[in-house]
Amino acid sequence: MELWFSEMQSKNVKMSYKIKNLLHSEKTKFQNLAVIDSEEFGRMLILDDVVQLTMKDEFIYHEMMAHVPLFTHGSPERVLVIGGGDGGTLREILKHPVKEAHLVEIDEKVIEASKRFFPELSVAFDDPRAKIFCEDGIAYVKRFKNYYDVIIVDSTDPVGPAVGLFRKEFYKDIFDALTEKGVFVAQTESPFYYEGLLKEVYNCIAEIFPYAAVYTAVIPTYPGALWTFTIGSKQVDPSDKANVPESCNFKTRYYTPEIHKACFKIPPFIKEIL
Ligand code: AG3
């Protein structure tokens, strides 16, 4: 018997994965959480029937989420991740000589599942520089002024628990929580299926931050594969080559300074969306 898991990538498009095993499934206070072992992509974390990460391609997303904003800042000491309870983004942040890396995840069950099923990501939680808070990121950021050098929003899609993470008031609170050279990044979905969202977020960020830009990466298991990230910066232009490092002195599998420069080259169809 063949077992398949399908994600509705849009109302009209389905992506199906042949699965070896359903390793775990539970209903948390916030969402349905499942861990599946798939033939092609290895272990996968699924929240509300949506693929959050797979062992085969998570490195692309997590490296691009962390290294672009951290290198743009140049010398970040305190970094915050909102969401990202799997630990993947945190793992990448900790490759930098930061003093503290904090993570605020609303659903502690995501953290537990990662510790159990994704040790390659959750190793990050054992680093003495990491501090984990289980609470709502929206309320959390309101308590800080001029505190974090980089804030990264590693959210689920803009439905259910994540809706508030795509709102202007939240981005304003993030701006205030950032230090004077602060840099912010959020995952902003597929330009094919979520063009309205991308436009809205980009324009909000551009209103709030002196610099705003969109960069992309190809992530095979996310809808449309071509994925966007929107970055806001208080002092330095993220898309300026001058703010890209000459070299990267830790191991990566996707990120390089050359890719960093190139990821801001946006095709005309995305520019038209913005
Ligand atoms: N967060 C973004 C996942 C969005 C995927 N969307 C989808 N498959 N429809 C991933 C969390 C990984 N740290």
Side-chain angles (χ1 to χ4, degrees), residues 38-271:
S38 70
E39 293 285 353
E40 188 64 43
F41 287 93
R43 289 190 177 185
M44 306 170 62
L45 174 67
I46 320 277
L47 296 176
D48 284 340
D49 296 323
V50 170
V51 175
Q52 298 302 314
L53 67 91
T54 82
M55 282 315 295
K56 193 167 177 176
D57 66 356
E58 58 85 13
F59 67 99
I60 305 174
Y61 176 84
H62 292 129
E63 288 182 14
M64 292 303 277
M65 231 10 200
H67 304 318
V68 173
L70 267 73
F71 279 128
T72 297
H73 181 284
S75 54
E77 297 192 344
R78 268 194 213 128
V79 180
L80 173 68
V81 183
I82 295 174
D86 49 77
T89 300
L90 195 64
R91 178 195 64 202
E92 295 304 315
I93 290 168
L94 292 166
K95 292 179 179 174
H96 295 253
V98 298
K99 290 203 172 123
E100 289 173 53
H102 297 168
L103 181 137
V104 191
E105 164 64 54
I106 198 167
D107 192 345
E108 61 182 350
K109 298 293 179 191
V110 175
I111 295 173
E112 277 175 25
S114 182
K115 285 186 181 159
R116 205 169 140 202
F117 298 103
F118 298 97
E120 298 86 343
L121 285 79
S122 51
V123 286
F125 301 140
D126 300 329
D127 190 296
R129 295 169 295 163
K131 261 203 201 113
I132 315 301
F133 305 92
C134 285
E135 63 169 285
D136 180 4
I138 297 172
Y140 181 92
V141 279
K142 280 190 198 295
R143 300 203 293 271
F144 294 88
K145 298 279 173 272
N146 193 24
Y147 190 78
Y148 288 106
D149 298 313
V150 175
I151 298 180
I152 299 175
V153 177
D154 183 4
S155 70
T156 49
D157 291 349
V159 282
V163 175
L165 302 179
F166 292 88
R167 292 212 182 103
K168 191 165 186 181
E169 305 84 79
F170 174 59
Y171 299 140
K172 281 191 187 147
D173 291 339
I174 285 185
F175 183 92
D176 293 340
L178 283 167
T179 49
E180 58 178 359
K181 203 187 166 195
V183 179
F184 160 64
V185 97
Q187 72 86 2
T188 40
E189 306 285 327
S190 149
F192 290 101
Y193 300 122
Y194 270 102
E195 53 178 88
L197 176 105
L198 175 60
K199 182 186 172 72
E200 206 180 297
V201 172
Y202 172 76
N203 285 294
C204 266
I205 303 303
E207 261 177 52
I208 298 169
F209 286 83
Y211 297 97
V214 169
Y215 63 93
T216 62
V218 168
I219 302 163
T221 55
Y222 288 173
L226 182 62
W227 205 250
T228 66
F229 304 82
T230 302
I231 186 165
S233 167
K234 289 193 179 183
Q235 256 182 31
V236 296
D237 178 357
S239 63
D240 183 344
K241 287 192 193 60
N243 300 314
V244 175
E246 273 175 21
S247 61
C248 173
N249 64 359
F250 47 76
K251 191 174 177 316
T252 53
R253 291 175 65 211
Y254 186 86
Y255 177 90
T256 65
E258 287 309 308
I259 286 185
H260 186 150
K261 282 179 213 155
C263 73
F264 287 101
K265 301 278 181 241
I266 295 301
F269 92 94
I270 298 183
K271 279 198 187 135

